[in-house]
Amino acid sequence: MYHFGVWSNEMSGTIPKSIGLAKDMEIVDLEFNRFKGTIPEEVYGLENLRKLWLGSNVLTGTISNNISTLKRLTQYHAFINQLTGTIPKSLFTIPGLTEVDILVNRLVGFVPQEMCDALNLRYIGLSDNKLKGNITDKIGNLVNLRKFHIAKNKFTGSIPESIGNCRKLRK
């Protein structure tokens, strides 16, 4: 099985640990359901996973540092859940990562500086959390960035001049 999609249903319960046995899985799409509990660590053993879509559920816990083991991951969606803790630096060390959508959670702390080293990023969704700090001048490194949503957090400081390097930004 390469694609497991049960999006937009009324499914509930926890994500089974046995999902980690499907080693050839490339896409896991569980969005728009009622799954609860934590994201099982076994998910991070899916070496071929390209898209992990967990948005709009009732997931709790943290984003594991082990997410960096998903070396082929291009899209990580966990928006509209109840995730807590900080954003792991390891998320932004995944080479081909293009989308991170973790808006509307309960994430705290600073955005890792490593985010600005993930040069393939096109979409960053961090709105509606409790993140703080400044927008780093290194944001200008993200020349492929098309959408950058950070509203409804606790960011301070000014918008760096380097944002002008992000010429692909649009509504």
Side-chain angles (χ1 to χ4, degrees), residues 25 31 59 67 77 96 98 104 107 128 148 151 157 163:
M25 191 84 70
E31 291 185 335
L59 297 172
I67 195 161
H77 295 182
T98 62
V104 192
L107 299 169
D128 268 313
F148 182 55
I163 198 74

Side-chain angles (χ1 to χ4, degrees), residues 77-138:
H77 295 182
F79 57 87
I80 312 175
N81 278 292
Q82 296 173 16
L83 298 175
T84 57
T86 58
I87 302 170
K89 294 176 183 181
S90 61
L91 174 62
F92 299 108
T93 64
I94 301 169
L97 192 65
T98 62
E99 294 183 15
V100 174
D101 191 351
I102 49 179
L103 48 85
V104 192
N105 276 289
R106 297 175 181 167
L107 299 169
V108 298
F110 297 94
V111 176
Q113 295 288 319
E114 287 77 3
M115 178 184 78
C116 295
D117 296 327
L119 302 181
N120 291 313
L121 279 173
R122 292 184 299 203
Y123 175 77
I124 300 170
L126 305 177
S127 297
D128 268 313
N129 281 289
K130 295 177 182 171
L131 301 169
K132 62 183 177 180
N134 295 323
I135 301 172
T136 176
D137 193 51
K138 287 177 64 180

Side-chain angles (χ1 to χ4, degrees), residues 15-102:
I15 301 170
K17 292 179 179 184
S18 60
I19 199 167
L21 297 174
K23 296 295 182 190
D24 291 330
M25 191 84 70
E26 293 180 3
I27 300 171
V28 173
D29 186 353
L30 308 180
E31 291 185 335
F32 304 104
N33 280 288
R34 296 181 188 146
F35 292 110
K36 62 183 178 182
T38 60
I39 302 166
E41 285 293 314
E42 288 77 4
V43 167
Y44 307 115
L46 298 174
E47 297 172 355
N48 294 309
L49 199 62
R50 296 181 189 281
K51 298 175 183 179
L52 181 56
W53 294 335
L54 306 172
S56 199
N57 281 289
V58 196
L59 297 172
T60 57
T62 61
I63 302 170
S64 173
N65 280 320
N66 290 331
I67 195 161
S68 64
T69 63
L70 300 174
K71 297 292 184 199
R72 295 183 179 181
L73 194 68
T74 59
Q75 297 178 10
Y76 179 67
H77 295 182
F79 57 87
I80 312 175
N81 278 292
Q82 296 173 16
L83 298 175
T84 57
T86 58
I87 302 170
K89 294 176 183 181
S90 61
L91 174 62
F92 299 108
T93 64
I94 301 169
L97 192 65
T98 62
E99 294 183 15
V100 174
D101 191 351
I102 49 179

Side-chain angles (χ1 to χ4, degrees), residues 125-169:
L126 305 177
S127 297
D128 268 313
N129 281 289
K130 295 177 182 171
L131 301 169
K132 62 183 177 180
N134 295 323
I135 301 172
T136 176
D137 193 51
K138 287 177 64 180
I139 193 74
N141 294 351
L142 301 178
V143 295
N144 292 307
L145 195 61
R146 293 189 172 116
K147 293 188 179 189
F148 182 55
H149 296 165
I150 62 168
K152 297 184 180 178
N153 280 291
K154 298 179 181 184
F155 291 109
T156 57
S158 59
I159 299 170
E161 288 292 328
S162 66
I163 198 74
N165 295 340
C166 303
R167 292 189 171 100
K168 295 181 182 178
L169 280 174

